Amino acid sequence: LAKTTQPISMDSYEGQEVNITCSHNNIATNDYITWYQQFPSQGPRFIIQGYKTKVTNEVASLFIPADRKSSTLSLPRVSLSDTAVYYCLVGDRGGADGLTFGKGTHLIIQP
Amino acid sequence: ETGVTQTPRHLVMGMTNKKSLKCEQHLGHNAMYWYKQSAKKPLELMFVYSLEERVENNSVPSRFSPECPNSSHLFLHLHTLQPEDSALYLCASSQDYRGGADTQYFGPGTRLTVL
């Protein structure tokens, strides 16, 4: 079971780039890394998924170093509406291990 | 998110009541999930169904009874609940059940209060 560790909370300001790092030291060869965003009283929303190197989509980038023991979610030019909890999940295609959400990182964006 | 709908959105019930939560996905997915999220706690996986068969049951008390009549619908039947069962119950679906590699699409949740 690949356990993940994230900061409990982070603060930033509108217009800044925010980087949230997730540690997963015992990640397995077949594991993928997935990030979700959750607003209060709503279901989580998929942000991005990656296996290695860098992945970019319209809302975020995901950086994964060669050893894959950590990953960094990068949110460019955040706004107040990016205030949410961000979860890092690590798991493979074989079972429910990757469905453990953990406590996530509470990101607070200030004006 | 209109892909996964949940009803009701809010539910208040007594400990002796029987109620059901309903989830419907309009995405053509083969896997569906129930999660529980208590106040200030992480999401807890409760059940997973793949192609209408239960594939995961995370030591959930028998007062929670899931039902998946087809790949588009998922129910959670509730009976003789306890106040500590008050939480946000979230339904999700994914194309297939492949553990952590699948992208899950969540519904808005049902806020349950047990008196």
Side-chain angles (χ1 to χ4, degrees):
Chain A
L1 173 60
K3 183 179 177 181
T4 60
T5 303
Q6 303 174 234
I8 295 297
S9 65
M10 293 181 65
D11 294 288
S12 188
Y13 295 90
E14 282 191 294
Q16 299 295 305
E17 178 184 79
V18 171
N19 296 310
I20 305 174
T21 297
C22 178
S23 296
H24 27 81
N25 290 318
N26 58 340
I27 189 169
T29 303
N30 296 328
D31 285 345
Y32 286 74
I33 301 157
T34 311
W35 285 80
Y36 287 84
Q37 174 194 58
Q38 186 181 26
F39 298 112
S41 296
Q42 294 186 26
R45 182 176 72 104
F46 171 83
I47 301 175
I48 198 166
Q49 183 181 76
Y51 181 80
K52 62 180 180 180
T53 62
K54 176 184 175 182
V55 179
T56 297
N57 62 22
E58 62 275 9
V59 298
S61 294
L62 180 59
F63 299 91
I64 305 168
D67 65 6
R68 303 201 326 123
K69 293 183 182 299
S70 67
S71 58
T72 299
L73 174 72
S74 180
L75 305 173
R77 297 186 296 281
V78 293
S79 64
L80 296 176
S81 62
D82 291 314
T83 294
V85 178
Y86 291 81
Y87 297 96
C88 163
L89 277 70
V90 173
D92 64 16
R93 299 173 183 266
D97 289 350
L99 301 176
T100 301
F101 273 74
K103 295 183 179 180
T105 297
H106 188 191
L107 175 64
I108 299 172
I109 306 301
Q110 301 182 47
Chain B
E1 302 291 342
T2 57
V4 180
T5 58
Q6 290 186 244
T7 54
R9 294 294 307 276
H10 297 87
L11 177 63
V12 179
M13 59 186 289
M15 289 191 286
T16 58
N17 291 160
K18 289 184 180 181
K19 296 286 185 183
S20 295
L21 309 184
K22 178 182 177 182
C23 175
E24 183 173 2
Q25 57 97 358
H26 311 272
L27 302 169
H29 288 170
N30 295 316
M32 296 187 77
Y33 311 74
W34 278 117
Y35 286 87
K36 173 186 177 183
Q37 187 170 36
S38 304
K40 300 186 185 300
K41 288 186 178 181
L43 281 81
E44 301 172 54
L45 179 67
M46 300 176 74
F47 302 103
V48 181
Y49 277 82
S50 176
L51 297 172
E52 301 152 44
E53 282 194 27
R54 191 188 311 178
V55 295
E56 297 287 346
N57 178 347
N58 271 12
S59 303
V60 179
S62 59
R63 57 185 183 269
F64 296 92
S65 175
E67 178 189 3
C68 186
N70 55 62
S71 59
S72 298
H73 293 85
L74 185 65
F75 294 89
L76 188 63
H77 303 300
L78 317 171
H79 64 96
T80 58
L81 295 192
Q82 305 298 312
E84 58 265 30
D85 296 321
S86 298
L88 181 66
Y89 288 84
L90 291 159
C91 173
S93 71
S94 63
Q95 184 60 59
D96 295 295
Y97 177 57
R98 295 177 301 175
D102 286 292
T103 299
Q104 294 179 72
Y105 295 82
F106 284 81
T110 295
R111 174 67 63 186
L112 174 67
T113 302
V114 182
L115 301 176

